[in-house]
Amino acid sequence: MTRSLCYLLRSMSIELMRIWDRMAGEESVAREGTLPVSRQFIALIARYHTEHRDTAFYAARLGLTPKYLSAIIREDTGRTAPEWIAEYVLMEARYYLRYTSQPVKEIAWLLHFNNQMDFYRYFQRHAGLTPTAYREQNR
């Protein structure tokens, strides 16, 4: 099941890159240097989102400062780097909550949270409801 989720996230990343390419059109010529950074960033998120939720990690991998990376990502996508990271984490969390019967504690462990409460707070802050409420709402 985890392998299927990885394939799903990778295919979504590829589709997002295709959408950006179409949206960029003539503007991509003017911003040619920033588009590859966005692609690399999304690829890194797809790979490391369960282990690293800090923009500084991705910026270091790309040889940029977190502030500069965030500026590039916001310019290219209209969303901040932390929003993209949170979306990937939430996408996987929602999948586990909706399509598995794994306890929330196990899901927190799979997503590399220190404990169940950290996961609860993160999910509620970014999704607007607790993991348990999300699971009950989507049964």
Side-chain angles (χ1 to χ4, degrees):
M1 187 161 298
T2 303
R3 185 171 284 170
S4 299
L5 183 59
C6 288
Y7 292 134
L8 174 68
L9 290 172
R10 285 186 183 139
S11 65
M12 288 177 70
S13 297
I14 292 167
E15 187 58 30
L16 285 172
M17 286 185 263
R18 288 180 184 153
I19 291 169
W20 285 341
D21 285 342
R22 286 193 304 263
M23 288 173 51
E26 295 173 8
E27 291 180 37
S28 68
V29 174
R31 296 184 294 151
E32 191 173 67
T34 60
L35 216 49
V37 171
S38 295
R39 287 182 186 153
Q40 291 173 34
F41 175 68
I42 296 298
L44 286 171
I45 293 173
R47 184 171 181 190
Y48 296 108
H49 69 277
T50 60
E51 299 165 31
H52 301 282
R53 291 178 286 279
D54 185 13
T55 305
F57 169 81
Y58 299 97
R61 297 286 300 217
L62 294 168
L64 305 169
T65 66
K67 188 175 180 176
Y68 184 61
L69 174 61
S70 291
I72 290 171
I73 299 305
R74 181 178 283 262
E75 180 182 328
D76 284 352
T77 68
R79 296 172 73 188
T80 66
E83 288 173 339
W84 277 106
I85 296 165
E87 188 56 39
Y88 267 75
V89 173
L90 290 177
M91 190 180 348
E92 190 160 353
R94 286 181 186 125
Y95 172 83
Y96 285 124
L97 291 166
R98 190 173 195 171
Y99 298 110
T100 72
S101 59
Q102 294 176 323
V104 174
K105 185 176 184 177
E106 228 177 277
I107 296 169
W109 180 80
L110 286 168
L111 297 175
H112 293 92
F113 282 88
N114 292 329
N115 55 56
Q116 184 175 342
M117 283 311 297
D118 285 350
F119 174 62
Y120 260 85
R121 284 186 210 107
Y122 187 90
F123 194 91
Q124 186 162 15
R125 183 173 5 125
H126 294 287
L129 66 164
T130 66
T132 304
Y134 178 84
R135 178 172 266 170
E136 289 172 3
Q137 190 177 50
N138 290 284
R139 283 197 173 174

